[in-house]
Amino acid sequence: MYIEKVKKNMNLPETVRIFDTTLRDGEQTPGVAITVDEKIGIAKKLDQLGVDVIEVGFPAASEGEKEAAKAILDLGLNAKVCGLARVLKNDLDAVLDSDVDYIHTFIGTSPLHREYKLKMSQEQILDKAVEAVEYVKDHGVLVEFSAEDATRTEFPFLSEIYQSVEDAGADYINVPDTVGVMVPSAMHWLISKLNKDINIPISVHCHDDFGLAVANSLSSVEAGAQQVHATINGLGERAGNASLEEVVMALITRYDLPLDIRTSQLVNLSDFVSRITGVRMPPNKAIVGENAFAHEAGIHVHGVLEKAETYEPITPEMVGHTRRIVLGKHTGANALRSKLDEYGIEMSEKQFCTVYDQIKDLGDKGKKVTDADLKAIAVTVLGRAKKETVKLEGFAVMTGENVMPTATVKLRIHEELKTASKTGVGPVDAAINAIHSLVSETTDIELKEYNIEAITGGTNALAEVFVVMGDMEGNHATGRSTREDIVMASVEAVLDSINKILMVK
């Protein structure tokens, strides 16, 4: 609503080209190295996604880089295949030898780069830039020129060098915020000023040192930039680059720009790149994170179930994601009913309340309740004895090194309270022995079968205990309990089984 009010004041282009640099700047993420075969796999998926340009690497860096560039070019992709080169003949020749159809060349222009890295004057840098662009154009290849550290370069010199490379035949100029120092308003000002001096398309390459790479990229588009450099998952040097998935979805859904991107492939591609690079995305990563379309709070879940747009700006299917209703301490009744309906589990209101209370209790203890946990809890509640002749009133266990495992159990049997303490080879055995001693006057029972299974991984996983008890008359009954405490789950399962046997007597 409010975006529409300000769009008329923007200098939006008709569309925006997406220049993907995952295989170049993304690979510069500390600790990441991508093999030739892995680069080919990512390049194929990027092409299927629909990016306009794939920057495949820095061919002058190694034979492997050059081999990767050639291999990707041989795939016959729809996207332009680009190689990076400094404004040095050896670098440029390495890219040209790779037969790519697009060269991205650069040289530092800021006072810091001029004085400390290059030790060159403005005139020398300008001459090198122009020579490089002319050399590439003499070979009939598209060229994009970057003034490295542009956002810390004096504007008069920055404009001069961009105008000079344009006159030399550059097809695109790129404005890199090399160390991520810009803010959106400053980026808008800079691109707007350059737009008045430059006639060829302006591209931007923003880094995320202050978490502003996407915002600065979008502000640049508002000022007329026609191309954005980005990486899958925001990979890149230091804090990374502008995240491709965030830039793309913002441009399409917030600015209504027609990008030829198959957005439903974004989550799959994000996961693919994450697995190859070993850089896992945080759950709350926008667009592609595990929690991007997850809801736990009761009011949110209720809203989403009634009308998804209440708490989702886009549909999860649009980016290849799925909606998740998460169970925990903030879970509302609507969320739980929705989950139970999803799995076709029907229960009475009393049973529902029992499950609901257990879910909330687990959430209060910091437990993440998975769908598998819910199913186990629901099955346990559904299978409980309808009548509790024997009811647990108290329980304690003592165990440890050089200590005989001892359990004290207090039961209410036919409204009479009874307490017993027994030892065993372990806390579960001790607890069952104590129960057996207390109910022996009521029924002579024996444990026939005992099984335990962790529902999910982790030390806080719920334990599902399944038992079969039998009496001297040949009656058998199953008992089941699901708890984070294995001993308590065992006690509840045994008592459930005993109550079922007593119901048939």
Side-chain angles (χ1 to χ4, degrees), residues 318-371:
M318 191 174 184
V319 295
H321 223 315
T322 54
R323 180 179 299 115
R324 289 193 305 118
I325 304 301
V326 179
L327 301 177
K329 67 178 182 179
H330 301 112
T331 296
N334 285 312
L336 183 55
R337 291 188 197 282
S338 172
K339 277 289 187 183
L340 293 172
D341 288 344
E342 181 181 337
Y343 296 117
I345 298 174
E346 296 181 5
M347 51 179 52
S348 68
E349 187 63 25
K350 182 179 179 181
Q351 291 170 327
F352 175 84
C353 289
T354 301
V355 173
Y356 183 73
D357 289 343
Q358 192 168 346
I359 295 295
K360 299 285 274 190
D361 181 59
L362 289 169
D364 282 335
K365 294 175 181 176
K367 174 79 171 77
K368 177 183 178 182
V369 184
T370 68
D371 287 3

Side-chain angles (χ1 to χ4, degrees), residues 247-277:
V247 169
V248 163
M249 294 312 299
L251 290 174
I252 292 174
T253 68
R254 303 303 91 200
Y255 295 88
D256 298 317
L257 288 173
L259 274 62
D260 191 21
I261 298 290
R262 300 169 186 86
T263 60
S264 62
Q265 298 180 19
L266 285 171
V267 170
N268 178 270
L269 180 50
S270 168
D271 181 66
F272 186 72
V273 170
S274 180
R275 291 178 184 278
I276 285 177
T277 60

Side-chain angles (χ1 to χ4, degrees), residues 82-130:
C82 177
L84 181 70
R86 292 169 294 183
V87 292
L88 304 176
K89 187 175 183 299
N90 287 343
D91 277 28
L92 297 168
D93 285 339
V95 184
L96 291 169
D97 289 345
S98 303
D99 297 323
V100 299
D101 42 18
Y102 197 126
I103 289 181
H104 176 203
T105 187
F106 71 97
I107 188 170
T109 55
S110 70
L112 284 167
H113 281 240
R114 296 196 307 262
E115 181 178 352
Y116 295 101
K117 189 178 86 167
L118 301 172
K119 303 189 186 305
M120 294 170 63
S121 67
Q122 290 184 358
E123 292 75 18
Q124 290 172 313
I125 289 172
L126 191 149
D127 289 342
K128 285 286 187 182
V130 169

Side-chain angles (χ1 to χ4, degrees), residues 130 133-134 137 141-143 163-172 200:
V130 169
V133 170
E134 290 177 340
K137 295 310 295 182
V141 176
L142 283 171
V143 60
Q163 290 181 65
S164 297
V165 296
E166 179 184 358
D167 292 340
D171 299 284
Y172 299 88
I200 55 177

Side-chain angles (χ1 to χ4, degrees), residues 2-20:
Y2 296 116
I3 297 176
E4 293 303 318
K5 293 184 180 298
V6 298
K7 274 176 64 176
K8 60 179 179 292
N9 298 319
M10 298 177 187
N11 185 28
L12 291 173
E14 292 185 4
T15 188
V16 175
R17 287 161 50 93
I18 301 299
F19 181 112
D20 181 88

